Amino acid sequence: KEVLEHMFREPLQPQDTNLVVLDATFGCGGHTRAILNSCSWFVVGTDRDKRVAQPKAQELLQSLSTPSRFHFVPSRFSRLSSSLSCLPPHLSRFNAVLLDLGMSSVQIDDKDRGFSFRDTHDGPLDMRMDKSQKMTAARLVNELPQELLAELLFTYGEEYKADLISRRLVARRKEKVFETTGDLAREIGRTLGYHNRDKHPATLSFQGLRIFVNNELHELASALQTAEQILAPSGRLIVLSYHSLEDRIVKEFMKRTSKSTFETVNKKVIIPSKEEIERNPRSRSAKLRVASRTDRPTHLLPVALSCFPFGSLSAASQKLLLFRKLLLR
């Protein structure tokens, strides 16, 4: 609801027939369907997870009375500019860019994807959004030196007991490598204990592994940079984030561009209401930020890439990124 309210603010009107939205996190198509049903705009959907998004995009396309209003382009954020270049000219400039950075229920509930730490969803320790890439969570857990595994869990998972967890995982993998999500989750649970009924002890570790496997923070920076390039004046940049690392990047990007290429629409971050949380419990950690594109030219230097929340990288983080490059070869 809040997404649509911010999208249709002046001077953008739902009845305009020549406006275009980029739903850059198409997923199962929920936002796109809501937009198409609420206005006369065109929508371009993109997503890196072809396994989930492509069937849903085809299903949506077949249900539309005017199929030309919707186009789907599979792409990750870092390749978005080149992927969108194949679109017809009338879809080359966007009046809104939507980024919903949350995981979809379909992804989490598919045990073969390896995203969930729940016992009922025990599956291969994978976590890849794009199955064509070589890096998996299993390779990280089983191959990273202890120092770098601790750095990954601390930096990307914000897990303050990363050193303890990494030492236990390294000791265990000498006896038997980790192959499944359940095996990893249980080992972390035995290490930290089950003291919080509302939060599984493996939550932050799984977050860190997933973010690193999919290079999510660099991909987000690329998406923000692309949005700056493709949005028309008065176009909306609408971002829903679900954890502090993402939100800090978005917040810092909007702050640094607020006196040039963007104007902040909501001065304070928007969080879900109690009614929304009751209706959709997974929205409880969501944060909505909105900015409006000015007519100022795009920055020559990529502002988004300097918005990382880590400050200067430690020696261990630099080694970790080098290890990532080696694993991707």
Side-chain angles (χ1 to χ4, degrees):
K1 180 182 176 182
E2 289 86 354
V3 168
L4 295 179
E5 287 177 356
H6 284 285
M7 192 172 291
F8 298 145
R9 281 187 177 183
E10 289 283 353
L12 309 179
Q13 296 294 328
Q15 63 269 25
D16 291 338
T17 57
N18 60 341
L19 302 184
V20 189
V21 180
L22 174 65
D23 182 355
T25 46
F26 177 80
C28 294
H31 285 302
T32 289
R33 191 179 293 274
I35 295 167
L36 290 169
N37 290 338
S38 303
C39 66
S40 303
W41 300 9
F42 293 91
V43 179
V44 175
T46 69
D47 205 288
R48 73 186 295 185
D49 191 344
K50 292 185 279 189
R51 178 171 171 174
V52 169
Q54 279 193 319
K56 295 294 184 181
Q58 189 61 35
E59 179 183 311
L60 175 60
L61 197 60
Q62 293 174 351
S63 71
L64 295 175
S65 57
T66 312
S68 61
R69 290 182 60 210
F70 173 65
H71 293 258
F72 179 74
V73 182
S75 177
R76 65 176 58 203
F77 293 154
S78 55
R79 299 174 185 165
L80 202 49
S81 292
S82 59
S83 299
L84 295 176
S85 64
C86 67
L87 293 170
H90 71 285
L91 300 178
S92 62
R93 199 70 166 163
F94 294 88
N95 304 97
V97 172
L98 170 62
L99 299 170
D100 184 341
L101 304 175
M103 295 280 294
S104 74
S105 299
V106 173
Q107 291 169 320
I108 296 172
D109 294 340
D110 184 349
K111 64 181 182 180
D112 293 332
R113 305 298 298 274
F115 290 119
S116 178
F117 43 72
R118 287 182 288 174
D119 290 335
T120 54
H121 291 68
D122 191 13
L125 192 53
D126 194 315
M127 300 195 191
R128 289 175 294 176
M129 294 285 186
D130 181 354
K131 288 287 188 177
S132 66
Q133 74 175 44
K134 296 179 181 179
M135 185 187 299
T136 65
R139 292 193 67 185
L140 294 172
V141 173
N142 292 314
E143 297 179 27
L144 274 177
Q146 185 271 326
E147 177 195 17
L148 299 190
L149 183 56
E151 184 73 16
L152 186 157
L153 299 179
F154 178 77
T155 302
Y156 294 89
E158 299 183 295
E159 173 56 79
Y160 289 97
K161 295 185 178 179
D163 191 63
L164 173 63
I165 294 171
S166 62
R167 291 183 186 279
R168 181 68 66 88
L169 297 184
V170 169
R172 207 318 290 272
R173 77 190 188 192
K174 292 177 181 178
E175 304 169 7
K176 183 178 183 293
V177 298
F178 291 94
E179 296 180 346
T180 69
T181 55
D183 189 13
L184 177 62
R186 285 189 293 272
E187 189 64 35
I188 296 174
R190 283 191 288 267
T191 302
L192 300 183
Y194 296 85
H195 306 297
N196 187 340
R197 291 183 179 182
D198 298 325
K199 189 174 184 179
H200 193 285
T203 299
L204 298 179
S205 295
F206 270 60
Q207 171 189 298
L209 288 167
R210 191 202 75 231
I211 289 174
F212 192 80
V213 165
N214 297 291
N215 206 18
E216 291 180 18
L217 302 184
H218 283 83
E219 289 291 320
L220 171 57
S222 296
L224 296 173
Q225 202 64 44
T226 301
E228 184 183 38
Q229 296 166 357
I230 64 177
L231 274 170
S234 299
R236 300 282 191 273
L237 172 59
I238 303 170
V239 187
L240 278 162
S241 59
Y242 294 84
H243 60 76
S244 59
L245 291 178
E246 292 174 339
D247 186 57
R248 272 180 259 166
I249 292 174
V250 176
K251 179 181 178 181
E252 186 65 19
F253 174 78
M254 290 187 177
K255 178 181 177 182
R256 294 191 185 190
T257 58
S258 62
K259 295 182 180 180
S260 54
T261 53
F262 283 99
E263 292 178 351
T264 303
V265 173
N266 56 320
K267 301 301 180 184
K268 292 185 178 180
V269 65
I270 300 170
I271 58 176
S273 62
K274 290 183 179 179
E275 293 76 19
E276 174 65 24
I277 294 174
E278 289 176 359
R279 187 167 59 251
N280 178 17
R282 284 179 174 168
S283 71
R284 64 185 180 275
S285 59
K287 292 183 178 180
L288 175 64
R289 296 187 185 275
V290 185
S292 179
R293 186 69 167 88
T294 68
D295 58 2
R296 298 281 293 275
T298 302
H299 289 92
L300 295 177
L301 296 176
V303 174
L305 296 178
S306 64
C307 293
F308 278 77
F310 310 141
S312 57
L313 290 177
S314 66
S317 286
Q318 292 178 35
K319 290 179 183 178
L320 186 60
L321 295 178
L322 177 60
F323 196 90
R324 175 187 177 81
K325 292 180 180 179
L326 295 175
L327 283 181
L328 290 174
R329 285 182 178 177

